Each structure stands twice: as C-alpha cells, then as structure tokens.
Amino acid sequence: MKNYQGYLIDLDGTMYRGTEKIEEASDFIYRLHKKGIPYLFVTNNSSRTPEQVAKKLNDFEIPATPNQVFTTSMATAQYIYELKPHASIYVIGEEGIKDALQKKGFQFKDEHPDFVVVGIDREINYEKLSLACLAVRSGATFISTNADIALPTERGFLPGNGSITSVITVSTQTEPVFIGKPESIIMEQALAFLGTKKEETIMVGDFYDTDIMAGIRSGMDTLLVHTGVTTKEQLKEKEIQPTYSIESLSEWNI
Amino acid sequence: MKNYQGYLIDLDGTMYRGTEKIEEASDFIYRLHKKGIPYLFVTNNSSRTPEQVAKKLNDFEIPATPNQVFTTSMATAQYIYELKPHASIYVIGEEGIKDALQKKGFQFKDEHPDFVVVGIDREINYEKLSLACLAVRSGATFISTNADIALPTERGFLPGNGSITSVITVSTQTEPVFIGKPESIIMEQALAFLGTKKEETIMVGDFYDTDIMAGIRSGMDTLLVHTGVTTKEQLKEKEIQPTYSIESLSEWNI
C-alpha cells in the first residue's frame, strides 16, 4: 500500500448514510487531519453550498471546512468559466448551483442564454423545462451537474438529476455534458483544487459506478468501502477492480 | 386506388396546424360525410376529452361528433380495462386522461397502485414524478399515453409526453408500455371502434414517424399528406413508403 499524499473522498455512503452516522468515518478523517494529509470531499450533490456541506459533516463530528468541500456545482461553474468567462446561463437547480454560478459572476438569463445548466431541482415545473428546451434548441450549450438517476431518501428512491435532465435530452435530442462523477471533469478540477499529484492521490467512495469509475477514468488509485451502495457481490462482477476494497474505513492505515 | 370503406385520420398537421386552418381539410371530411363513409379522428393528444376535440374541429368547420374522436387516453383506459377491470391507478396528466380513466370506473391512488399512467401534464412537479417513481419501483405496471418528444406551440417546441415519461424510465430503469401512435395498440382499438375491416381502412396523417408508422405496423394502407411535419425530402429517405403521398387532401378522390 502506497502512502498517499492526498485524499478525494465521497460523502453519502462513505462519510454518512443520509441522516445516519457512519462511526468509522469520523475517526478516519481525524487520522488524516492529525497527520496533516490534505483531503477534499467531492460530491455530486449540486443542491448545497460548501458551507452547508461542511456544516453537515461537522454535525457528524467530521472535521471539515467549506474549503475542503468540492461540489459538482463548483466544477460546473469552473468548467463554464474556462469556456466563456462572461457567459449568460439559464439554470434549473437549487441553492448550491445558483450560488456557485453567482460566485463566478455569471449572468442568469431565461431566453437565448449561452448555456443551459441543469442540477437537481425539487421545485421543477413545466415552464422551467420548457425554457431549457427552447434554449437548447436555440443553440445553448447543454450542461448537467450529474447523471445520478435516483436520490435515496427515507421514502425510497426519488428522481435524481440524471432523470430530470433526460426531459431535455429526449425532447431536444441533444446530449448534455455531464460534470459530476464518474466524469473526469470534476476529478481533474478537484485534484487541482487539492493541489496534490494524481499519482499520489487516492479516491475513496462507496459506489462503484460513480466514485470508483471517476477515479479509474481519471487515472487515480481507488478505495472502495462497502458502507454504502456497492456490495461485495456486485463488485465481483466488475471487470475493472478498484485498487483496494475494504469493509470499513477503520481497516485503512494512513 | 382502392375504394376505402373507413378512414382513420390524424388531427394536428392534417386537419389543422395548431390554431391555423387547413383549407382542404374541411372539404375532405364533408366529402366523406356526404358519401356516408365512416371516419374516426385518432389523436396522441391525451389532454383533451373527445367533446373538446370535436368542438375544436367544429370551430374549423370540420364535421365531427365526440363519437368520431378516438384519443390515446381512451385507448389507454381500454388497454388497462382489458388487463384488470378494477385496477387502481396513479395518473400524471390533464383532463383528457383523467376523464377517460374515470369513465371506465378506475380508482385513483397515490401509493401502491396497480398501474402508473403518464400523459402530458403542464402542471408537472417533483412530487408527482416522485410518486410515479416510487409506484413503479413497487411493481406498478408503467404505461405512457404516447412517446411524442415535443409539443409544437407558438413559442417553439416544448417538452412532449415522451420526454416527461423519460424521468420515470431513467430513474426506475423500467420501460413503459406506450399506447399512442406509432404503436399498434391505439390502431387496433381505433379500428374496432370504427367497425371497418383493416383491409378496407386507410390511415391518413402528416407525420411519418407516428401516423404512417402506426398504419404500417398495424398492417393498414396509409396516406401521407404534406401539410404538416414530414416533408417530401424527408419522406424520400424512408425505407418503407406510405401507400400514397399527396400535397393536399384536395387531391384525394373519395
């Protein structure tokens, strides 16, 4: 096992399960913290600001500042900024994505924007979807924060951003650029934000299809922890295995 | 050219264009009417009742009674009735689909219904989509009135029912049964409703992908009229040609 100099770490299923604490997570982060090893939480959740995410982690006794949180909303804003710093954007989404785009100084616009951005929006309605479709048909670049098909909740699996995004994909017959895990766009940016080298950094998460695939696609080592979505049995079926897989973060030496 | 004994006829693009009259349509229907040849309007629009559709046709001076209108909502209700006459249904949709399901005596139910039915709903919201996803994940049979990706309006192409349906398809990874054109489900029912033989009946419409394909798939002769979606150039590309194609309904002898 390498001595990794940087950690990119998933949230739900890895640091907590919904509103439920994962006991070993807090100790794991404290150990990183004590050794002074840089870490960054990387999340496909576009609805919360980094401040809100850090607060939630602190509530689970996990040391985290807003600067240690990298959301797909931040990655989306950065991606657009690199393409067109003064872009106009029509955005579907909640506080996290709107906050990230505003921090970059983008102008919001309902008609003929340069970009359409779709993030999870539990206030979605037909007019919002219509404006997005009209803009994409008028030539706006179509971007979606992530392709997650479902949101795990206490009621069961509710529609995720990937499924909401599909309304526009199907109606306009235009594929979006997805930013979040498993895409390497968010990973490259997270690495640059953390400031460690790819070869010395490891991606930690519970869901093979997003977390581990994101690490693999961006050429990083990966650690799958079976405290969330992907079971041992499911992992066996995967052609490309993570670098490491463990039952709990307490097994991991830092 | 055969002397057809029955006509199945599309609406938008064939009888009118949105709120615009198609001059030859009224005369065409009057000629059918005068010869006593039975005709039935067959529409993928699930939002209106047959009474509302007949009224719209009358406003364009086209002779039509509610009994001469067959909507995908009626086909959906009949389809479910044949599977389970006392089914419980969770429905997303507007007046037309709710009216058709109520006329069959079905019970509406938000949780654990036997069927989930999705028709165009311009009051769509996250809670409606969530209830549909939860029900499909709980085993409800998933049905969609039609797969149309876009609604032509004066503002441009807005999301059609096929694109709204995709939220549930993508989120639950379950394909729906589509009822409307180009599926043969609606065509078989329309034929039975009209009461003429398949070999003596012709399907008339402007859109190759729905109207003409519906006729072809259900083994009927077809007449494409270039007053709506499909252009002559687009038609040339199609492998299977309609039985006839004309510029305007005034060219057609009855």
Side-chain angles (χ1 to χ4, degrees):
Chain A
M1 202 196 93
K2 274 202 248 180
N3 267 322
Y4 293 98
Q5 300 305 305
Y7 281 70
L8 298 179
I9 305 164
D10 172 55
L11 292 177
D12 206 353
T14 305
M15 290 291 107
Y16 50 77
R17 268 185 299 264
T19 54
E20 187 194 337
K21 193 172 180 177
I22 295 179
E23 287 299 337
E24 312 79 30
S26 170
D27 174 65
F28 173 78
I29 301 297
Y30 267 110
R31 286 187 285 139
L32 285 175
H33 193 66
K34 211 181 289 176
K35 286 218 173 174
I37 297 171
Y39 56 92
L40 184 64
F41 298 103
V42 181
T43 177
N44 271 3
N45 184 328
S46 70
S47 69
R48 293 207 189 91
T49 63
E51 290 75 14
Q52 291 167 331
V53 173
K55 164 113 186 26
K56 179 164 183 176
L57 286 165
N58 296 161
D59 290 346
F60 286 118
E61 294 169 69
I62 293 167
T65 65
N67 272 333
Q68 287 173 307
V69 174
F70 196 75
T71 70
T72 190
S73 292
M74 295 160 71
T76 300
Q78 181 61 28
Y79 179 82
I80 296 174
Y81 189 80
E82 286 168 15
L83 288 176
K84 191 165 184 180
H86 300 288
S88 62
I89 301 175
Y90 177 66
V91 58
I92 290 179
E94 300 183 7
E95 192 180 350
I97 183 68
K98 288 184 176 164
D99 176 74
L101 295 172
Q102 264 162 346
K103 278 181 182 159
K104 287 279 178 198
F106 293 119
Q107 180 204 347
F108 293 151
K109 203 175 164 203
D110 285 358
E111 287 179 17
H112 300 287
D114 300 318
F115 292 84
V116 165
V117 171
V118 180
I120 187 74
D121 185 348
R122 281 157 288 196
E123 302 285 322
I124 192 69
N125 61 37
Y126 191 75
E127 179 61 13
K128 291 182 184 181
L129 294 166
S130 295
L131 288 170
C133 285
L134 291 170
V136 170
R137 284 180 184 269
S138 298
T141 302
F142 178 23
I143 293 178
S144 177
T145 57
N146 62 292
D148 299 2
I149 61 172
L151 279 190
T153 74
E154 62 285 359
R155 293 172 68 192
F157 289 102
L158 304 190
N161 188 53
S163 67
I164 302 294
T165 300
S166 74
V167 174
I168 301 147
T169 312
V170 169
S171 190
T172 65
Q173 300 182 271
T174 304
E175 290 290 332
V177 174
F178 286 111
I179 302 294
K181 300 174 283 182
E183 303 302 325
S184 47
I185 296 174
I186 191 172
M187 300 303 283
E188 298 292 340
Q189 288 191 26
L191 262 177
F193 195 89
L194 186 64
T196 56
K197 285 185 190 151
K198 188 177 283 188
E199 303 72 35
E200 297 173 341
T201 309
I202 190 166
M203 173 69 202
V204 185
D206 69 295
F207 189 15
Y208 182 91
D209 297 355
T210 56
D211 304 319
I212 302 307
M213 275 310 295
I216 290 167
R217 284 195 190 172
S218 55
M220 294 171 53
D221 281 1
T222 54
L223 169 61
L224 177 65
V225 56
H226 290 298
T227 47
V229 175
T230 305
T231 63
K232 278 179 157 181
E233 291 65 37
Q234 288 167 341
L235 185 59
K236 276 185 199 148
E237 314 276 300
K238 304 294 182 183
E239 205 183 330
I240 308 174
Q241 290 289 308
T243 320
Y244 314 94
S245 64
I246 55 179
E247 289 289 294
S248 147
L249 289 172
S250 61
E251 296 172 34
W252 187 255
N253 293 318
I254 289 159
Chain B
M1 201 195 94
K2 273 201 249 179
N3 266 323
Y4 293 97
Q5 300 305 304
Y7 281 70
L8 298 179
I9 305 164
D10 172 55
L11 293 176
D12 206 353
T14 306
M15 290 291 106
Y16 50 78
R17 268 184 298 266
T19 55
E20 187 193 337
K21 194 172 180 177
I22 295 179
E23 287 299 338
E24 311 80 30
S26 170
D27 174 66
F28 172 78
I29 301 297
Y30 268 111
R31 287 188 283 138
L32 287 175
H33 192 68
K34 212 182 286 175
K35 288 218 172 171
I37 296 171
Y39 56 92
L40 184 64
F41 298 103
V42 181
T43 177
N44 272 4
N45 184 327
S46 71
S47 69
R48 293 207 188 93
T49 63
E51 291 76 15
Q52 291 166 333
V53 174
K55 163 112 187 24
K56 178 163 183 178
L57 286 164
N58 295 163
D59 290 345
F60 286 118
E61 294 168 68
I62 293 167
T65 65
N67 273 331
Q68 287 173 308
V69 174
F70 197 75
T71 70
T72 191
S73 291
M74 296 159 71
T76 300
Q78 182 62 28
Y79 179 81
I80 296 174
Y81 190 81
E82 286 167 15
L83 288 175
K84 191 166 184 181
H86 300 290
S88 62
I89 301 175
Y90 177 67
V91 59
I92 290 179
E94 300 184 6
E95 191 180 352
I97 183 67
K98 288 183 177 166
D99 176 74
L101 294 172
Q102 265 162 346
K103 278 180 181 158
K104 287 281 178 195
F106 293 120
Q107 180 204 345
F108 292 151
K109 203 176 165 203
D110 285 357
E111 287 179 17
H112 300 288
D114 299 318
F115 292 83
V116 165
V117 170
V118 180
I120 187 74
D121 185 348
R122 281 155 289 195
E123 302 284 321
I124 192 69
N125 61 38
Y126 191 76
E127 180 60 13
K128 289 181 183 181
L129 294 166
S130 294
L131 287 170
C133 285
L134 291 170
V136 169
R137 284 181 184 268
S138 297
T141 303
F142 178 22
I143 293 178
S144 177
T145 57
N146 62 291
D148 299 3
I149 62 172
L151 280 190
T153 73
E154 63 283 0
R155 294 173 68 193
F157 289 102
L158 304 190
N161 188 54
S163 66
I164 302 293
T165 300
S166 74
V167 175
I168 301 147
T169 312
V170 169
S171 190
T172 65
Q173 301 181 273
T174 305
E175 290 290 333
V177 174
F178 286 110
I179 301 294
K181 299 174 282 183
E183 303 301 325
S184 47
I185 296 173
I186 192 172
M187 300 302 283
E188 297 291 341
Q189 288 191 28
L191 263 177
F193 195 90
L194 185 64
T196 56
K197 285 184 191 153
K198 187 177 285 189
E199 303 71 36
E200 297 174 341
T201 309
I202 189 165
M203 172 68 202
V204 185
D206 68 296
F207 189 15
Y208 182 91
D209 297 355
T210 55
D211 303 320
I212 303 306
M213 275 311 294
I216 291 168
R217 283 195 191 174
S218 55
M220 294 171 54
D221 280 1
T222 55
L223 169 61
L224 177 66
V225 55
H226 290 297
T227 46
V229 175
T230 305
T231 64
K232 278 179 158 182
E233 291 64 39
Q234 288 167 339
L235 185 59
K236 277 184 200 149
E237 313 277 299
K238 304 293 182 184
E239 204 183 332
I240 307 173
Q241 290 287 309
T243 319
Y244 314 93
S245 65
I246 55 178
E247 288 290 295
S248 147
L249 289 172
S250 62
E251 295 172 32
W252 187 255
N253 292 318
I254 290 159

